Amino acid sequence: MESTSHITVQNLNVYYGDNHALKDITINIPDKQITAIIGPSGCGKTTLLRAFNRLIDTVDGVRITGKVLVDGEDIFDPRADVTMVRKKMGLLSQRPYPLPMSIFDNVAYGPKIHGIRKKKVLEEIVEHHLKMASLWEEVRDRLHEPASRLSIGQQQRLCLARGLAVEPEFILADEPTSALDPKSSLYIENRFRELRSQFSIILVTHILRQARRLADYIVFLYLGELIEHGPVNEIFENPREERTREYIRGVIS
């Protein structure tokens, strides 16, 4: 199945001081699919993910060459609007980081920054996106309580709702279930399955079982290099590269 791409990476290199973290990465990320980035710890998975919303800019001593094209525009061009780049990217981290405010204000935060002030509109936005994150029924009667009172699993779904509320094109998820219990992990995975028709989802995971059951497309990194990428069944059942086969079998880690 062919797919268009709204993210194209061209000869991307990322250096942290003397550490060459990503080495000449070139790839198209399929649109409206779940792409899982897999590989051992320290192989560059999170660095690649954070390149897509320019969060690697915040690291001291980082140097970047190459291009990341989002909707045809190089986001590392000095003229690029970083705020607009990040608006396109909803981010879900390993651990949830709700803002120190109410459940309602967490979801309304982004829309307010982008100029929405009418109470009725904000209420509709909050309800809609809490429903998208499968959290509305659990919190509808406590919207003005501190978000910190939610369970970890609920906080992660709240962060998903907060990310969706700015109407991104992409969801970037950095091991989003690693801190969650199995039930909460299942909630997140099910939401991703439902959202893949609306968003391109890029998932970093160290759990091969999760990548296999959830992803449409696999990107395998090893020591900063792009070893192989392709449809999930192709990568897991008939990988072309020996290092991919060894990683899937658990020979290298």
Side-chain angles (χ1 to χ4, degrees), residues 44 69 73 96 100 107 142 154 157 191 202-203 219 230 232:
L69 304 177
E73 297 184 6
V107 183
R142 46 191 295 211
Q154 289 173 325
R157 281 181 282 151
R191 297 294 76 71
I202 307 170
L203 167 75
V219 174
V232 60

Side-chain angles (χ1 to χ4, degrees), residues 134-145:
S134 191
L135 188 58
W136 173 252
E137 294 302 326
E138 298 170 42
V139 302
R140 59 186 302 173
D141 296 324
R142 46 191 295 211
L143 293 175
H144 299 290
E145 291 183 9

Side-chain angles (χ1 to χ4, degrees), residues 113-178:
I113 285 178
H114 293 287
I116 297 175
R117 292 287 183 268
K118 292 185 178 179
K119 182 180 178 182
K120 180 64 174 176
V121 175
L122 289 171
E123 288 174 347
E124 291 172 353
I125 288 172
V126 169
E127 179 176 349
H128 175 69
H129 290 96
L130 285 172
K131 285 179 176 177
M132 287 182 72
S134 191
L135 188 58
W136 173 252
E137 294 302 326
E138 298 170 42
V139 302
R140 59 186 302 173
D141 296 324
R142 46 191 295 211
L143 293 175
H144 299 290
E145 291 183 9
S148 58
R149 293 184 184 176
L150 296 174
S151 69
I152 293 294
Q154 289 173 325
Q155 288 181 17
Q156 189 68 307
R157 281 181 282 151
L158 176 66
C159 290
L160 176 59
R162 187 178 71 208
L164 294 173
V166 296
E167 299 184 350
E169 294 179 23
F170 309 91
I171 298 173
L172 309 181
D174 188 2
E175 299 193 20
T177 64
S178 63

Side-chain angles (χ1 to χ4, degrees), residues 238-253:
N238 190 29
R240 299 183 302 275
E241 302 292 332
E242 179 62 25
R243 278 177 293 183
T244 311
R245 291 191 287 271
E246 290 179 345
Y247 181 68
I248 289 172
R249 294 201 309 266
V251 176
I252 60 174
S253 60

